[in-house]
């Protein structure tokens, strides 16, 4: 790394002298000796040329298993991404842009965030959106933190939500010394009566995911009414593709809408980076965490963009802040905005309709085999759980040998998923393997 440090040794010694020390060892005198790296301790390999690095990276990438046929979702979904999305977002002006604090020279990135926020509001029906947060789980936890006040800090969460989202919400509540009550699911969805019973005068908010982790379409209108009757806010987690055909969070009566933005043109990427989107009603907008880009006019009356409504405590008085998120997933948010712009409302709707139709065809074909039955009775979007007459691992291993990533093993069976990417030929191949392995 020495060649990447721009200052000379003479300049470094001059800087050390300016702060009153004679050497780097003296600069770190307050760090215990046992914690300091000794000369050569890193044991770094010799440097490589660009050609050698590229060959090495290709060799490493070759170890990854890339499935041509995917029937697994559970939070990360395989959707078609128009080639223009990557073409636009790969432009160096976007890839290298980061913190837009100096608005005079950041109009491009600020406008891209503003357009993203606008589209998220259109998708959810909400009045305001922030510039994004780290992922969907963080968005849900941050939304719960938005709802706390002096008298109310209890969070009631539907146990039908994604397990990872629930874990992050519990972690946030632990950190803020707030109570988090998870209501066990019923038939793969929210147990509305148990949800109501869990609410009391200390409840600040209620979180329900649409669809549920098991794929069930929830009655979020009833959940919102129950939360409001208890004096609490209602947070609705949504799948952004499903949002194109189901009732919007605004139509359901949600105060805050959150979700994972990965389905919006972002590759699955072996786990990230992803995008958490957040939107809320006008009454809640001043509690939105992180960055928010607003539109205004400059001294000459021209349309321009600035960072706005950001609590200064997030940066300099962190112990008093309701949120410590000071950044956003700008490139992922840009990708989502470009994807939504390219697809348009009609394209988004058709994608959602194809997901719905193909998932129901897949479910019908799987359950036509003896021993495979639907676990949950409710209506679903593009995920569902079935039983399996044989060990799930045996089944999934056989599918993997054919280049098919099967569903996710869950309690009670296997969670399957279909998107617009799964054609009839892929589905029939999967069913053929299931039939062969199960011996039916």
């Amino acid at each position: 790394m020495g060649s990447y440090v721009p200052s000379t040794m003479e300049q470094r010694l001059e800087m050390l002298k300016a702060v009153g020390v004679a050497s780097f060892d003296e600069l770190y005198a307050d760090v215990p000796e046992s914690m300091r790296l000794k000369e050569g301790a890193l044991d770094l390999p010799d440097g490589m040329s660009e050609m050698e690095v590229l060959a090495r990276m290709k060799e490493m990438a070759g170890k990854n298993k890339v499935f041509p046929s995917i029937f697994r979702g559970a939070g990360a979904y395989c959707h078609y991404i128009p080639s223009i999305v990557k073409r636009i977002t790969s432009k160096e002006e976007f890839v290298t842009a980061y913190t837009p604090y100096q608005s005079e020279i950041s109009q491009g990135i600020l406008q891209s965030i503003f357009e993203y926020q606008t589209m998220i509001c259109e998708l959810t029906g909400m009045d305001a959106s922030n510039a994004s947060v780290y992922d969907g789980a963080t968005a849900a936890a941050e939304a719960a933190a938005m709802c706390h006040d002096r008298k109310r800090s209890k969070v009631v969460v539907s146990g039908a939500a994604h397990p990872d989202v629930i874990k992050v919400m519990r972690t946030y509540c632990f950190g803020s010394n707030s109570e988090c009550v998870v209501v066990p699911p019923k038939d793969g969805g929210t147990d509305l009566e148990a949800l109501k019973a869990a609410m009391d005068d200390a409840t600040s908010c209620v979180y329900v995911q649409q669809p549920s982790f098991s794929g069930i379409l929830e009655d979020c209108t009833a959940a919102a009414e129950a939360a409001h009757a208890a004096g609490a806010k209602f947070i609705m987690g949504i799948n952004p593709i499903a949002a194109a055909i189901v009732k919007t969070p605004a139509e359901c009566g949600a105060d805050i809408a959150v979700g994972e933005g990965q389905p919006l043109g972002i590759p699955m990427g072996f786990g990230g980076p992803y995008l958490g989107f957040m939107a809320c009603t006008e009454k809640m907008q001043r509690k939105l965490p992180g960055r928010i880009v607003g539109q205004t006019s400059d001294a000459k009356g021209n349309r321009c963009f600035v960072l706005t409504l950001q609590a200064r405590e997030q940066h300099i008085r962190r112990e008093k802040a309701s949120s410590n998120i000071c950044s956003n997933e700008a490139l992922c948010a840009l990708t989502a905005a470009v994807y939504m712009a390219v697809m348009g409302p009609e394209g988004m709707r058709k994608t959602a309709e194809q997901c719905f139709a193909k998932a129901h065809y897949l479910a019908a074909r799987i359950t036509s085999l003896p021993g495979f039955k639907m676990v949950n009775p409710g209506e679903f979007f593009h995920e569902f759980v079935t039983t399996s007459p044989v060990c799930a691992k045996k089944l999934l291993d056989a599918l993997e040998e054919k280049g098919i990533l099967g569903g996710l093993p869950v309690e009670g069976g296997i969670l399957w998923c279909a998107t617009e990417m799964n054609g009839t030929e892929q589905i029939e191949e999967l069913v053929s393997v299931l039939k062969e392995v199960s011996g039916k």
Side-chain angles (χ1 to χ4, degrees):
M1 289 296 292
S3 60
Y4 289 93
V5 178
S7 56
T8 65
M9 181 54 69
E10 290 74 16
Q11 289 172 325
R12 292 173 219 166
L13 291 172
E14 187 178 347
M15 286 188 280
L16 288 172
K17 183 179 178 181
V19 296
V21 295
S23 67
F24 287 104
D25 286 339
E26 192 176 338
L27 180 65
Y28 292 102
D30 292 333
V31 178
E33 186 72 27
S34 60
M35 300 295 292
R36 299 187 216 171
L37 279 176
K38 304 297 187 241
E39 188 73 27
L42 289 179
D43 191 26
L44 295 175
D46 293 336
M48 291 186 285
S49 67
E50 179 181 338
M51 187 168 64
E52 289 171 322
V53 170
L54 186 59
R56 179 66 183 278
M57 294 300 289
K58 285 183 177 179
E59 178 188 348
M60 293 170 65
K63 297 178 182 178
N64 294 328
K65 177 73 173 180
V66 180
F67 293 91
S69 183
I70 299 174
F71 289 92
R72 182 177 298 186
Y77 303 96
C78 180
H79 289 288
Y80 177 71
I81 304 173
S83 58
I84 193 173
V85 174
K86 184 65 178 292
R87 176 78 175 180
I88 292 173
T89 57
S90 295
K91 293 176 70 67
E92 64 181 19
E93 299 95 315
F94 293 124
V95 174
T96 59
Y98 179 55
T99 304
Y101 286 134
Q102 200 168 346
S103 57
E104 306 94 301
I105 59 173
S106 302
Q107 287 299 293
I109 194 66
L110 285 169
Q111 182 174 357
S112 73
I113 294 173
F114 182 82
E115 303 297 350
Y116 157 81
Q117 292 175 177
T118 302
M119 293 181 200
I120 291 297
C121 287
E122 291 175 344
L123 187 68
T124 60
M126 295 281 109
D127 300 316
S129 165
N130 67 10
S132 74
V133 293
Y134 307 127
D135 53 35
T138 303
E142 287 284 339
M146 283 173 63
C147 301
H148 293 339
D149 59 33
R150 292 179 182 178
K151 295 182 179 179
R152 292 176 178 265
S153 60
K154 176 180 175 181
V155 179
V156 176
V157 181
S158 167
H162 196 299
D164 292 345
V165 173
I166 295 174
K167 288 177 183 176
V168 174
M169 294 185 80
R170 276 179 160 158
T171 299
Y172 262 63
C173 287
F174 173 80
S176 62
N177 197 29
S178 305
E179 184 181 3
C180 182
V181 177
V182 179
V183 179
K186 180 180 180 181
D187 296 330
T190 299
D191 186 337
L192 190 57
E193 293 306 313
L195 196 75
K196 292 177 182 177
M199 300 179 210
D200 55 28
D201 292 342
T203 303
S204 63
C205 61
V206 177
Y207 176 80
V208 175
Q209 179 179 305
Q210 174 77 305
S212 73
F213 178 67
S214 298
I216 298 297
L217 289 169
E218 301 274 25
D219 186 352
C220 287
T221 300
E225 290 172 353
H228 294 154
K233 297 291 189 294
F234 180 61
I235 305 169
M236 185 170 163
I238 64 169
N239 177 307
I241 300 298
I245 58 172
V246 301
K247 290 174 67 174
T248 67
E251 291 170 331
C252 292
D255 299 286
I256 307 172
V258 297
E260 173 55 62
Q262 179 272 326
L264 299 174
I266 300 171
M268 290 187 287
F270 295 93
Y274 286 167
L275 164 74
F277 60 85
M278 298 183 71
C280 67
T281 60
E282 185 177 0
K283 289 182 179 179
M284 298 290 293
Q285 68 181 359
R286 288 189 173 275
K287 293 190 175 182
L288 267 175
R291 292 175 178 156
I292 303 173
V293 173
Q295 177 180 296
T296 186
S297 299
D298 64 14
K300 296 182 180 179
N302 298 316
R303 180 190 189 214
C304 60
F305 305 92
V306 294
L307 288 176
T308 186
L309 291 178
Q310 191 174 39
R312 192 163 174 77
E313 284 77 10
Q314 290 178 203
H315 301 270
I316 63 172
R317 300 173 63 193
R318 297 177 66 81
E319 72 284 354
K320 295 183 179 296
S322 58
S323 171
N324 290 142
I325 286 186
C326 305
S327 187
N328 65 290
E329 296 285 326
L331 189 56
C332 291
L334 172 68
T335 302
V338 173
Y339 174 86
M340 287 188 282
V342 169
M343 297 295 285
E346 184 68 11
M348 296 270 294
R349 183 180 64 80
K350 286 184 177 179
T351 298
E353 288 174 346
Q354 283 208 30
C355 289
F356 183 88
K358 291 182 176 182
H360 283 72
Y361 177 74
L362 174 65
R365 293 295 293 121
I366 292 177
T367 56
S368 70
L369 301 175
F372 291 90
K373 297 180 180 179
M374 296 291 286
V375 172
N376 304 308
E379 185 57 88
F380 61 93
F381 174 55
H382 71 349
E383 289 180 277
F384 56 92
V385 180
T386 69
T387 58
S388 174
V390 297
C391 171
K393 186 178 186 306
K394 180 181 179 181
L395 208 62
L396 298 174
D397 286 347
L399 288 170
E400 184 173 337
E401 288 180 7
K402 297 289 186 178
I404 302 171
L405 179 61
L408 179 72
V410 296
E411 185 178 350
I414 300 174
L415 176 63
W416 303 95
C417 177
T419 70
E420 78 279 12
M421 298 291 283
N422 301 117
T424 303
E425 186 177 324
Q426 285 189 1
I427 293 174
E428 293 305 326
E429 184 182 9
L430 177 140
V431 172
S432 177
V433 175
L434 297 186
K435 185 176 181 180
E436 180 183 341
V437 176
S438 62
K440 305 298 183 181

